[in-house]
Amino acid sequence: MTGAQQPLLMLEPLHREPTVRGLLNEAQAARAIGVTVSELHAMTTAGLGPVGFALTPRVVRYAPADVAAWKGQRVR
């Protein structure tokens, strides 16, 4: 195993993403607001999308209430 591929914990497989119950992953959040994952990522990065929680530099999760509130503001 190379240094760049070592997991944070030796018990944690490399292919698993951190999960938090009740939060939406990028695909779920994108589907909820009707955009692609790429569009959601661009919107979140620009500060224009729903608030996301970075669990790692590559893993972002969204609270369903935040996604619904963001979507509600845009529907008016």
Side-chain angles (χ1 to χ4, degrees):
M1 198 178 279
T2 65
Q5 294 178 338
Q6 287 183 351
L8 295 175
L9 300 173
M10 294 308 293
L11 300 175
E12 182 179 302
L14 288 173
H15 64 279
R16 295 194 61 195
E17 290 185 348
T19 59
V20 177
R21 272 185 207 266
L23 295 181
L24 303 174
N25 64 30
E26 288 182 306
Q28 294 167 326
R31 192 175 319 115
I33 63 172
V35 299
T36 66
V37 172
S38 297
E39 290 171 326
L40 175 62
H41 178 71
M43 291 165 56
T44 302
T45 301
L48 302 174
V51 175
F53 301 93
L55 301 180
T56 72
R58 292 184 173 209
V59 177
V60 179
R61 295 293 184 257
Y62 298 85
D66 291 341
V67 172
W70 182 89
K71 186 175 180 179
Q73 292 174 350
R74 301 299 181 266
V75 174
R76 294 180 193 181

